[in-house]
Amino acid sequence: EDLVQQMMDDLYDGLKDEIEEGVHILLDRGWAPYDVLTRALVAGMTIVGHDFRDGILFVPEVLMAAGAMKGGMAILKPLLAETGAPRMGKMVIGTVKGDIHDIGKNLVSMMMEGAGFEVVDLGINNPVENYIDAARREQADIIGMSALLTTTMPYMKVVIDTMKAQGIRDDYIVLVGGAPLNEEFGRAIGADAYCRDAAVAVETAKDFLR
Ligand code: B1M
């Protein structure tokens, strides 16, 4: 579709108003919120990621793109949460220490809420205490961790090892995700599961709590 292509260009250019308008138009055309999210916003951000990697885009531009993406996500959030699904369980989620990427985590939060989970979002740059304190305080079922950098993903193991040392590892389901991770890494650090994307996170959480 022409509009989707236009939106990917607008996301690339960090045009928040245009992205918000595009989201509204696609919804008016009868697109499902999830399709708008994945086929326009996430797809657009993937292109931004490639050019960031290749040194064509720099941090300020990528921040603009992220801002535009968040604008679009804010419109979709209530729609994705509108399912009226029965309460499924509770998850605390955050991006690990040293890492400030939050778009993927926010998306996971949104989709989990939409599927009926209660979500406590700890934000970015979380040291191990944040996860453990929040999980205890909130009586969570699930601890979710996000990392987007190869330099911060090892911190997930610090969190899990600390849980083990405190004898609370098996009190929670630990789910991990983020672009540089994979299944093998998830297994190696002792997580219950690696989640490739937000939809998989929802399905995985449901499977564990069934
Ligand atoms: Co950053 N960055 N960045 N960045 N950035 C990446 C990650 C990078 C791959 C870009 C690249 O080179 N191609 C690269 C990492 C390389 C590496 O580690 N090997 C990189 C780098 C290098 C950096 C800096 C170091 C750059 C610098 O300063 N020189 C710096 C680090 C800052 C820090 O964290 N300390 C940095 C900064 C930034 C910005 C601030 C400019 C901005 C972040 C804005 C924000 O988040 N508010 C930014 C962005 C936007 C990106 C890219 C372009 C896009 C990330 C994103 O939002 N993707 C990214 C390139 C890329 O990933 N393609 C990149 C969209 C999002 C929907 O996908 O986050 O993968 P994702 O989430 C998915 C799944 O992974 C999964 O579900 C989500 C939805 O489907 N998932 C989970 C994620 N978390 C989960 C948790 C779960 C389950 C599933 O828990 C249960």
Side-chain angles (χ1 to χ4, degrees):
E1 280 218 20
D2 287 353
L3 176 58
V4 173
Q5 185 54 53
Q6 181 63 49
M7 285 177 70
M8 290 199 215
D9 292 346
D10 289 343
L11 189 86
Y12 193 94
D13 294 333
L15 303 174
K16 184 162 180 260
D17 292 346
E18 282 78 355
I19 286 297
E20 288 170 353
E21 194 189 331
V23 167
H24 282 303
I25 295 173
L26 288 180
L27 291 171
D28 287 345
R29 288 189 189 167
W31 278 51
Y34 183 68
D35 289 337
V36 179
L37 185 65
T38 52
R39 288 165 60 188
L41 301 183
V42 175
M45 190 51 98
T46 304
I47 300 170
V48 171
H50 290 154
D51 281 3
F52 189 30
R53 177 194 61 209
D54 297 340
I56 298 165
L57 290 179
F58 297 94
V59 171
E61 286 113 319
V62 178
L63 268 178
M64 295 278 290
M69 172 130 186
K70 286 185 177 183
M73 281 167 62
I75 299 166
L76 296 171
K77 181 174 178 172
L79 304 175
L80 289 167
E82 213 168 57
T83 57
R87 286 287 131 205
M88 300 287 304
K90 197 169 194 179
M91 176 175 77
V92 301
I93 187 169
T95 304
V96 297
K97 187 173 164 185
D99 199 321
I100 64 167
H101 295 86
D102 69 352
I103 295 177
K105 166 188 68 63
N106 295 349
L107 232 157
V108 173
S109 296
M110 277 164 55
M111 299 273 303
M112 292 287 289
E113 280 175 355
F117 287 86
E118 209 177 321
V119 177
V120 178
D121 191 334
L122 306 174
I124 56 174
N125 194 20
N126 283 288
V128 53
E129 313 82 72
N130 287 14
Y131 291 100
I132 292 178
D133 293 351
R136 280 217 175 92
R137 184 180 67 238
E138 303 288 345
Q139 298 184 305
D141 306 294
I142 303 170
I143 294 180
M145 290 188 272
S146 181
L148 266 284
L149 299 171
T150 47
T151 50
T152 57
M153 58 190 237
Y155 194 76
M156 293 173 161
K157 183 168 188 300
V158 174
V159 175
I160 293 173
D161 287 348
T162 307
M163 290 172 72
K164 283 181 186 160
Q166 297 187 2
I168 57 167
R169 169 61 188 90
D170 294 335
D171 295 349
Y172 306 99
I173 297 151
V174 178
L175 303 182
V176 296
L181 280 63
N182 57 36
E183 207 114 335
E184 199 192 334
F185 175 80
R187 250 194 314 273
I189 63 169
D192 289 294
Y194 155 73
C195 308
R196 182 171 25 90
D197 60 29
V200 170
V202 169
E203 286 317 309
T204 308
K206 281 184 182 168
D207 283 347
F208 274 105
L209 292 181
R210 215 188 296 276

PDB file of all heavy atoms in Angstrom, residues 23-24 26-27 31-38 40-41 69-82 110:
ATOM      1  N   VAL A  23      -1.613   6.493  11.224  1.00  0.00           N
ATOM      2  CA  VAL A  23      -2.216   5.455  12.062  1.00  0.00           C
ATOM      3  C   VAL A  23      -3.743   5.609  12.063  1.00  0.00           C
ATOM      4  O   VAL A  23      -4.484   4.632  11.881  1.00  0.00           O
ATOM      5  CB  VAL A  23      -1.662   5.532  13.510  1.00  0.00           C
ATOM      6  CG1 VAL A  23      -2.495   4.688  14.466  1.00  0.00           C
ATOM      7  CG2 VAL A  23      -0.211   5.067  13.545  1.00  0.00           C
ATOM      8  N   HIS A  24      -4.202   6.838  12.239  1.00  0.00           N
ATOM      9  CA  HIS A  24      -5.649   7.086  12.237  1.00  0.00           C
ATOM     10  C   HIS A  24      -6.281   6.673  10.906  1.00  0.00           C
ATOM     11  O   HIS A  24      -7.347   6.060  10.869  1.00  0.00           O
ATOM     12  CB  HIS A  24      -5.941   8.568  12.513  1.00  0.00           C
ATOM     13  CG  HIS A  24      -5.811   8.929  13.960  1.00  0.00           C
ATOM     14  ND1 HIS A  24      -6.539   8.302  14.954  1.00  0.00           N
ATOM     15  CD2 HIS A  24      -5.033   9.835  14.600  1.00  0.00           C
ATOM     16  CE1 HIS A  24      -6.210   8.824  16.128  1.00  0.00           C
ATOM     17  NE2 HIS A  24      -5.288   9.740  15.946  1.00  0.00           N
ATOM     18  N   LEU A  26      -5.198   4.431   8.676  1.00  0.00           N
ATOM     19  CA  LEU A  26      -5.239   2.968   8.525  1.00  0.00           C
ATOM     20  C   LEU A  26      -6.354   2.366   9.392  1.00  0.00           C
ATOM     21  O   LEU A  26      -7.070   1.458   8.955  1.00  0.00           O
ATOM     22  CB  LEU A  26      -3.888   2.347   8.890  1.00  0.00           C
ATOM     23  CG  LEU A  26      -2.744   2.582   7.897  1.00  0.00           C
ATOM     24  CD1 LEU A  26      -1.468   1.913   8.391  1.00  0.00           C
ATOM     25  CD2 LEU A  26      -3.095   2.064   6.503  1.00  0.00           C
ATOM     26  N   LEU A  27      -6.502   2.889  10.609  1.00  0.00           N
ATOM     27  CA  LEU A  27      -7.572   2.388  11.487  1.00  0.00           C
ATOM     28  C   LEU A  27      -8.937   2.677  10.865  1.00  0.00           C
ATOM     29  O   LEU A  27      -9.825   1.817  10.857  1.00  0.00           O
ATOM     30  CB  LEU A  27      -7.472   3.024  12.882  1.00  0.00           C
ATOM     31  CG  LEU A  27      -6.265   2.595  13.730  1.00  0.00           C
ATOM     32  CD1 LEU A  27      -6.174   3.457  14.990  1.00  0.00           C
ATOM     33  CD2 LEU A  27      -6.349   1.117  14.105  1.00  0.00           C
ATOM     34  N   TRP A  31      -8.124  -1.362   9.298  1.00  0.00           N
ATOM     35  CA  TRP A  31      -6.966  -2.178   9.693  1.00  0.00           C
ATOM     36  C   TRP A  31      -7.062  -2.550  11.172  1.00  0.00           C
ATOM     37  O   TRP A  31      -7.459  -1.732  12.004  1.00  0.00           O
ATOM     38  CB  TRP A  31      -5.678  -1.378   9.493  1.00  0.00           C
ATOM     39  CG  TRP A  31      -5.158  -1.376   8.090  1.00  0.00           C
ATOM     40  CD1 TRP A  31      -5.860  -1.070   6.957  1.00  0.00           C
ATOM     41  CD2 TRP A  31      -3.822  -1.663   7.678  1.00  0.00           C
ATOM     42  NE1 TRP A  31      -5.033  -1.151   5.869  1.00  0.00           N
ATOM     43  CE2 TRP A  31      -3.774  -1.512   6.277  1.00  0.00           C
ATOM     44  CE3 TRP A  31      -2.659  -2.025   8.354  1.00  0.00           C
ATOM     45  CZ2 TRP A  31      -2.610  -1.721   5.547  1.00  0.00           C
ATOM     46  CZ3 TRP A  31      -1.496  -2.221   7.625  1.00  0.00           C
ATOM     47  CH2 TRP A  31      -1.484  -2.082   6.233  1.00  0.00           C
ATOM     48  N   ALA A  32      -6.655  -3.751  11.508  1.00  0.00           N
ATOM     49  CA  ALA A  32      -6.565  -4.152  12.911  1.00  0.00           C
ATOM     50  C   ALA A  32      -5.383  -3.408  13.545  1.00  0.00           C
ATOM     51  O   ALA A  32      -4.345  -3.249  12.901  1.00  0.00           O
ATOM     52  CB  ALA A  32      -6.353  -5.651  13.021  1.00  0.00           C
ATOM     53  N   PRO A  33      -5.545  -2.956  14.805  1.00  0.00           N
ATOM     54  CA  PRO A  33      -4.448  -2.234  15.476  1.00  0.00           C
ATOM     55  C   PRO A  33      -3.123  -2.991  15.418  1.00  0.00           C
ATOM     56  O   PRO A  33      -2.067  -2.395  15.196  1.00  0.00           O
ATOM     57  CB  PRO A  33      -4.949  -2.108  16.913  1.00  0.00           C
ATOM     58  CG  PRO A  33      -6.430  -2.156  16.810  1.00  0.00           C
ATOM     59  CD  PRO A  33      -6.749  -3.041  15.643  1.00  0.00           C
ATOM     60  N   TYR A  34      -3.176  -4.297  15.570  1.00  0.00           N
ATOM     61  CA  TYR A  34      -1.945  -5.082  15.573  1.00  0.00           C
ATOM     62  C   TYR A  34      -1.249  -5.028  14.210  1.00  0.00           C
ATOM     63  O   TYR A  34      -0.018  -4.997  14.124  1.00  0.00           O
ATOM     64  CB  TYR A  34      -2.247  -6.542  15.954  1.00  0.00           C
ATOM     65  CG  TYR A  34      -1.001  -7.393  16.042  1.00  0.00           C
ATOM     66  CD1 TYR A  34      -0.067  -7.184  17.051  1.00  0.00           C
ATOM     67  CD2 TYR A  34      -0.743  -8.399  15.108  1.00  0.00           C
ATOM     68  CE1 TYR A  34       1.087  -7.937  17.127  1.00  0.00           C
ATOM     69  CE2 TYR A  34       0.413  -9.165  15.177  1.00  0.00           C
ATOM     70  CZ  TYR A  34       1.330  -8.933  16.190  1.00  0.00           C
ATOM     71  OH  TYR A  34       2.470  -9.678  16.262  1.00  0.00           O
ATOM     72  N   ASP A  35      -2.041  -5.007  13.150  1.00  0.00           N
ATOM     73  CA  ASP A  35      -1.454  -4.929  11.809  1.00  0.00           C
ATOM     74  C   ASP A  35      -0.821  -3.561  11.560  1.00  0.00           C
ATOM     75  O   ASP A  35       0.235  -3.463  10.925  1.00  0.00           O
ATOM     76  CB  ASP A  35      -2.519  -5.203  10.740  1.00  0.00           C
ATOM     77  CG  ASP A  35      -2.932  -6.663  10.740  1.00  0.00           C
ATOM     78  OD1 ASP A  35      -2.137  -7.494  11.222  1.00  0.00           O
ATOM     79  OD2 ASP A  35      -4.048  -6.961  10.275  1.00  0.00           O
ATOM     80  N   VAL A  36      -1.469  -2.516  12.053  1.00  0.00           N
ATOM     81  CA  VAL A  36      -0.892  -1.174  11.920  1.00  0.00           C
ATOM     82  C   VAL A  36       0.467  -1.148  12.627  1.00  0.00           C
ATOM     83  O   VAL A  36       1.469  -0.666  12.096  1.00  0.00           O
ATOM     84  CB  VAL A  36      -1.823  -0.102  12.531  1.00  0.00           C
ATOM     85  CG1 VAL A  36      -1.189   1.277  12.398  1.00  0.00           C
ATOM     86  CG2 VAL A  36      -3.195  -0.128  11.874  1.00  0.00           C
ATOM     87  N   LEU A  37       0.484  -1.719  13.822  1.00  0.00           N
ATOM     88  CA  LEU A  37       1.694  -1.749  14.627  1.00  0.00           C
ATOM     89  C   LEU A  37       2.825  -2.483  13.913  1.00  0.00           C
ATOM     90  O   LEU A  37       3.929  -1.952  13.748  1.00  0.00           O
ATOM     91  CB  LEU A  37       1.366  -2.474  15.941  1.00  0.00           C
ATOM     92  CG  LEU A  37       2.419  -2.534  17.008  1.00  0.00           C
ATOM     93  CD1 LEU A  37       2.712  -1.135  17.514  1.00  0.00           C
ATOM     94  CD2 LEU A  37       1.937  -3.393  18.168  1.00  0.00           C
ATOM     95  N   THR A  38       2.549  -3.688  13.466  1.00  0.00           N
ATOM     96  CA  THR A  38       3.631  -4.510  12.920  1.00  0.00           C
ATOM     97  C   THR A  38       3.977  -4.117  11.483  1.00  0.00           C
ATOM     98  O   THR A  38       5.144  -3.990  11.139  1.00  0.00           O
ATOM     99  CB  THR A  38       3.275  -6.006  12.958  1.00  0.00           C
ATOM    100  OG1 THR A  38       2.004  -6.194  12.339  1.00  0.00           O
ATOM    101  CG2 THR A  38       3.218  -6.509  14.381  1.00  0.00           C
ATOM    102  N   ALA A  40       3.280  -1.319   9.694  1.00  0.00           N
ATOM    103  CA  ALA A  40       3.723   0.049   9.416  1.00  0.00           C
ATOM    104  C   ALA A  40       4.837   0.475  10.383  1.00  0.00           C
ATOM    105  O   ALA A  40       5.942   0.806   9.958  1.00  0.00           O
ATOM    106  CB  ALA A  40       2.541   1.019   9.497  1.00  0.00           C
ATOM    107  N   LEU A  41       4.571   0.423  11.686  1.00  0.00           N
ATOM    108  CA  LEU A  41       5.528   0.990  12.642  1.00  0.00           C
ATOM    109  C   LEU A  41       6.765   0.115  12.843  1.00  0.00           C
ATOM    110  O   LEU A  41       7.897   0.572  12.694  1.00  0.00           O
ATOM    111  CB  LEU A  41       4.836   1.248  13.986  1.00  0.00           C
ATOM    112  CG  LEU A  41       3.628   2.207  13.936  1.00  0.00           C
ATOM    113  CD1 LEU A  41       3.076   2.428  15.332  1.00  0.00           C
ATOM    114  CD2 LEU A  41       4.003   3.525  13.298  1.00  0.00           C
ATOM    115  N   MET A  69       7.502   6.876  16.432  1.00  0.00           N
ATOM    116  CA  MET A  69       6.953   5.539  16.687  1.00  0.00           C
ATOM    117  C   MET A  69       6.129   5.538  17.967  1.00  0.00           C
ATOM    118  O   MET A  69       5.050   4.956  18.029  1.00  0.00           O
ATOM    119  CB  MET A  69       8.109   4.544  16.804  1.00  0.00           C
ATOM    120  CG  MET A  69       7.697   3.170  17.258  1.00  0.00           C
ATOM    121  SD  MET A  69       8.361   1.914  16.178  1.00  0.00           S
ATOM    122  CE  MET A  69       7.585   0.449  16.837  1.00  0.00           C
ATOM    123  N   LYS A  70       6.637   6.195  18.995  1.00  0.00           N
ATOM    124  CA  LYS A  70       5.903   6.242  20.266  1.00  0.00           C
ATOM    125  C   LYS A  70       4.577   6.970  20.112  1.00  0.00           C
ATOM    126  O   LYS A  70       3.589   6.603  20.760  1.00  0.00           O
ATOM    127  CB  LYS A  70       6.758   6.902  21.350  1.00  0.00           C
ATOM    128  CG  LYS A  70       7.865   5.992  21.849  1.00  0.00           C
ATOM    129  CD  LYS A  70       8.631   6.608  23.004  1.00  0.00           C
ATOM    130  CE  LYS A  70       9.670   5.632  23.517  1.00  0.00           C
ATOM    131  NZ  LYS A  70      10.384   6.169  24.690  1.00  0.00           N
ATOM    132  N   GLY A  71       4.562   8.020  19.277  1.00  0.00           N
ATOM    133  CA  GLY A  71       3.308   8.727  19.012  1.00  0.00           C
ATOM    134  C   GLY A  71       2.268   7.796  18.430  1.00  0.00           C
ATOM    135  O   GLY A  71       1.103   7.772  18.847  1.00  0.00           O
ATOM    136  N   GLY A  72       2.698   6.998  17.457  1.00  0.00           N
ATOM    137  CA  GLY A  72       1.778   6.027  16.849  1.00  0.00           C
ATOM    138  C   GLY A  72       1.345   4.960  17.842  1.00  0.00           C
ATOM    139  O   GLY A  72       0.174   4.574  17.901  1.00  0.00           O
ATOM    140  N   MET A  73       2.298   4.499  18.653  1.00  0.00           N
ATOM    141  CA  MET A  73       1.973   3.449  19.629  1.00  0.00           C
ATOM    142  C   MET A  73       0.959   3.938  20.661  1.00  0.00           C
ATOM    143  O   MET A  73       0.112   3.179  21.125  1.00  0.00           O
ATOM    144  CB  MET A  73       3.251   2.976  20.329  1.00  0.00           C
ATOM    145  CG  MET A  73       4.070   2.000  19.489  1.00  0.00           C
ATOM    146  SD  MET A  73       5.736   1.728  20.117  1.00  0.00           S
ATOM    147  CE  MET A  73       5.433   1.010  21.714  1.00  0.00           C
ATOM    148  N   ALA A  74       1.054   5.229  21.021  1.00  0.00           N
ATOM    149  CA  ALA A  74       0.135   5.773  22.028  1.00  0.00           C
ATOM    150  C   ALA A  74      -1.313   5.702  21.538  1.00  0.00           C
ATOM    151  O   ALA A  74      -2.239   5.491  22.332  1.00  0.00           O
ATOM    152  CB  ALA A  74       0.521   7.213  22.360  1.00  0.00           C
ATOM    153  N   ILE A  75      -1.496   5.867  20.243  1.00  0.00           N
ATOM    154  CA  ILE A  75      -2.856   5.773  19.690  1.00  0.00           C
ATOM    155  C   ILE A  75      -3.340   4.325  19.727  1.00  0.00           C
ATOM    156  O   ILE A  75      -4.497   4.032  20.007  1.00  0.00           O
ATOM    157  CB  ILE A  75      -2.875   6.281  18.231  1.00  0.00           C
ATOM    158  CG1 ILE A  75      -2.456   7.748  18.181  1.00  0.00           C
ATOM    159  CG2 ILE A  75      -4.254   6.080  17.598  1.00  0.00           C
ATOM    160  CD1 ILE A  75      -2.129   8.243  16.777  1.00  0.00           C
ATOM    161  N   LEU A  76      -2.428   3.410  19.457  1.00  0.00           N
ATOM    162  CA  LEU A  76      -2.812   2.002  19.362  1.00  0.00           C
ATOM    163  C   LEU A  76      -2.983   1.345  20.731  1.00  0.00           C
ATOM    164  O   LEU A  76      -3.735   0.380  20.872  1.00  0.00           O
ATOM    165  CB  LEU A  76      -1.750   1.234  18.561  1.00  0.00           C
ATOM    166  CG  LEU A  76      -1.609   1.684  17.102  1.00  0.00           C
ATOM    167  CD1 LEU A  76      -0.401   1.024  16.468  1.00  0.00           C
ATOM    168  CD2 LEU A  76      -2.876   1.348  16.320  1.00  0.00           C
ATOM    169  N   LYS A  77      -2.314   1.886  21.727  1.00  0.00           N
ATOM    170  CA  LYS A  77      -2.299   1.229  23.034  1.00  0.00           C
ATOM    171  C   LYS A  77      -3.698   0.923  23.583  1.00  0.00           C
ATOM    172  O   LYS A  77      -3.978  -0.226  23.929  1.00  0.00           O
ATOM    173  CB  LYS A  77      -1.504   2.070  24.033  1.00  0.00           C
ATOM    174  CG  LYS A  77      -1.447   1.426  25.398  1.00  0.00           C
ATOM    175  CD  LYS A  77      -0.548   2.151  26.369  1.00  0.00           C
ATOM    176  CE  LYS A  77      -0.631   1.420  27.706  1.00  0.00           C
ATOM    177  NZ  LYS A  77       0.321   1.908  28.676  1.00  0.00           N
ATOM    178  N   PRO A  78      -4.591   1.929  23.673  1.00  0.00           N
ATOM    179  CA  PRO A  78      -5.917   1.609  24.222  1.00  0.00           C
ATOM    180  C   PRO A  78      -6.676   0.597  23.367  1.00  0.00           C
ATOM    181  O   PRO A  78      -7.445  -0.199  23.903  1.00  0.00           O
ATOM    182  CB  PRO A  78      -6.634   2.961  24.251  1.00  0.00           C
ATOM    183  CG  PRO A  78      -5.828   3.873  23.394  1.00  0.00           C
ATOM    184  CD  PRO A  78      -4.433   3.352  23.368  1.00  0.00           C
ATOM    185  N   LEU A  79      -6.412   0.610  22.076  1.00  0.00           N
ATOM    186  CA  LEU A  79      -7.123  -0.324  21.188  1.00  0.00           C
ATOM    187  C   LEU A  79      -6.639  -1.751  21.406  1.00  0.00           C
ATOM    188  O   LEU A  79      -7.412  -2.702  21.408  1.00  0.00           O
ATOM    189  CB  LEU A  79      -6.922   0.080  19.727  1.00  0.00           C
ATOM    190  CG  LEU A  79      -7.340   1.511  19.403  1.00  0.00           C
ATOM    191  CD1 LEU A  79      -6.985   1.867  17.968  1.00  0.00           C
ATOM    192  CD2 LEU A  79      -8.840   1.680  19.631  1.00  0.00           C
ATOM    193  N   LEU A  80      -5.327  -1.881  21.607  1.00  0.00           N
ATOM    194  CA  LEU A  80      -4.773  -3.215  21.834  1.00  0.00           C
ATOM    195  C   LEU A  80      -5.170  -3.734  23.206  1.00  0.00           C
ATOM    196  O   LEU A  80      -5.224  -4.936  23.435  1.00  0.00           O
ATOM    197  CB  LEU A  80      -3.253  -3.180  21.718  1.00  0.00           C
ATOM    198  CG  LEU A  80      -2.720  -2.983  20.299  1.00  0.00           C
ATOM    199  CD1 LEU A  80      -1.240  -2.640  20.326  1.00  0.00           C
ATOM    200  CD2 LEU A  80      -2.951  -4.217  19.455  1.00  0.00           C
ATOM    201  N   ALA A  81      -5.463  -2.824  24.123  1.00  0.00           N
ATOM    202  CA  ALA A  81      -5.788  -3.227  25.496  1.00  0.00           C
ATOM    203  C   ALA A  81      -7.286  -3.462  25.670  1.00  0.00           C
ATOM    204  O   ALA A  81      -7.735  -3.857  26.733  1.00  0.00           O
ATOM    205  CB  ALA A  81      -5.313  -2.161  26.472  1.00  0.00           C
ATOM    206  N   GLU A  82      -8.035  -3.261  24.599  1.00  0.00           N
ATOM    207  CA  GLU A  82      -9.488  -3.203  24.698  1.00  0.00           C
ATOM    208  C   GLU A  82     -10.197  -4.560  24.621  1.00  0.00           C
ATOM    209  O   GLU A  82     -11.400  -4.621  24.418  1.00  0.00           O
ATOM    210  CB  GLU A  82     -10.003  -2.350  23.522  1.00  0.00           C
ATOM    211  CG  GLU A  82     -11.240  -1.549  23.799  1.00  0.00           C
ATOM    212  CD  GLU A  82     -11.457  -0.539  22.672  1.00  0.00           C
ATOM    213  OE1 GLU A  82     -11.550  -0.950  21.506  1.00  0.00           O
ATOM    214  OE2 GLU A  82     -11.521   0.659  22.986  1.00  0.00           O
ATOM    215  N   MET A 110       2.310  -3.449  26.160  1.00  0.00           N
ATOM    216  CA  MET A 110       1.009  -3.166  25.551  1.00  0.00           C
ATOM    217  C   MET A 110       0.275  -4.441  25.155  1.00  0.00           C
ATOM    218  O   MET A 110      -0.917  -4.612  25.415  1.00  0.00           O
ATOM    219  CB  MET A 110       1.196  -2.319  24.282  1.00  0.00           C
ATOM    220  CG  MET A 110       1.347  -0.844  24.545  1.00  0.00           C
ATOM    221  SD  MET A 110       2.006   0.052  23.107  1.00  0.00           S
ATOM    222  CE  MET A 110       0.851  -0.392  21.838  1.00  0.00           C
TER     223      MET A 110
END
